[in-house]
Amino acid sequence: MDSKPSIDVAVLIERQKQPNRWEDWRFRIVDVVLDEGLFGASARVLRDDGRTQQRLHPRLKVTLHQDEGEGYYLNLSSGAPVWFVMWRIDETDPSVAWPELVTLSYNEAGRLLDAQERVDNAPLPAELCSWLQSFTDAHYRPEPKQRKRPASFRAPGER
């Protein structure tokens, strides 16, 4: 197995114009799909009715790293594995947003959130769950839990 397997993905971001009186724009991650080279090299609008726009952002690489094994394990064991997408809004034009990074590591997503980045998620398809599970099984072993006996169960001399 390759020590750093990777896949290319495309992120679909939806933009709503004035969804309420307090926001001019609202963005959400709609989906993350495998990019097999059919989407081109640059972002493109798939739908725009003047109020809602969907833009596809291709050519984002997701690379698995051995030292992120715990983060992959936590994502897989959550019951609903997801893609984590870190995205940004253009400071000069707040009607423009783009994905910066896609990861499968729960820990990496947490570090990004701690750094005040925007991180949303989208469901991970079952076939990619098995790909991630194979990598995680090969490169990560959860530490066994250390059970501590309550003091009341120990002999008086051991307390």
Side-chain angles (χ1 to χ4, degrees):
M1 178 178 251
D2 186 5
S3 64
K4 287 191 180 179
S6 63
I7 55 173
D8 290 325
V9 297
V11 176
L12 183 62
I13 296 181
E14 183 177 270
R15 178 190 77 186
Q16 285 184 325
K17 184 176 183 180
Q18 295 179 323
N20 55 54
R21 63 181 173 192
W22 299 281
E23 294 178 289
D24 290 330
W25 303 100
R26 179 183 296 164
F27 299 93
R28 75 178 183 100
I29 304 300
V30 175
D31 202 2
V32 178
V33 295
L34 284 177
D35 183 352
E36 297 172 339
L38 303 175
F39 301 130
S42 58
R44 63 181 172 157
V45 174
L46 299 182
R47 175 179 165 245
D48 191 351
D49 62 11
R51 182 150 173 83
T52 303
Q53 180 188 83
Q54 289 189 340
R55 184 178 292 261
L56 186 69
H57 299 267
R59 294 210 175 164
L60 291 155
K61 190 168 286 297
V62 177
T63 303
L64 301 183
H65 301 275
Q66 291 181 16
D67 60 350
E68 286 293 335
E70 181 183 33
Y72 304 140
Y73 172 78
L74 291 172
N75 188 6
L76 289 165
S77 63
S78 70
V82 295
W83 302 98
F84 296 101
V85 180
M86 191 266 283
W87 57 280
R88 295 197 168 136
I89 295 175
D90 191 326
E91 292 179 12
T92 59
D93 183 359
S95 69
V96 176
W98 70 92
E100 190 76 28
L101 173 83
V102 180
T103 183
L104 293 167
S105 171
Y106 182 91
N107 291 346
E108 186 174 12
R111 289 191 298 272
L112 291 166
L113 286 167
D114 288 345
Q116 303 298 309
E117 296 288 356
R118 290 177 177 90
V119 178
D120 288 322
N121 61 50
L124 184 66
E127 64 272 8
L128 290 170
C129 286
S130 59
W131 173 71
L132 182 59
Q133 186 70 60
S134 297
F135 181 85
T136 304
D137 290 345
H139 299 287
Y140 177 73
R141 296 285 174 260
E143 293 182 24
K145 293 182 180 178
Q146 298 290 329
R147 182 173 172 234
K148 291 186 179 182
R149 248 183 126 148
S152 61
F153 287 100
R154 291 190 230 150
E158 295 176 13
R159 292 183 201 173

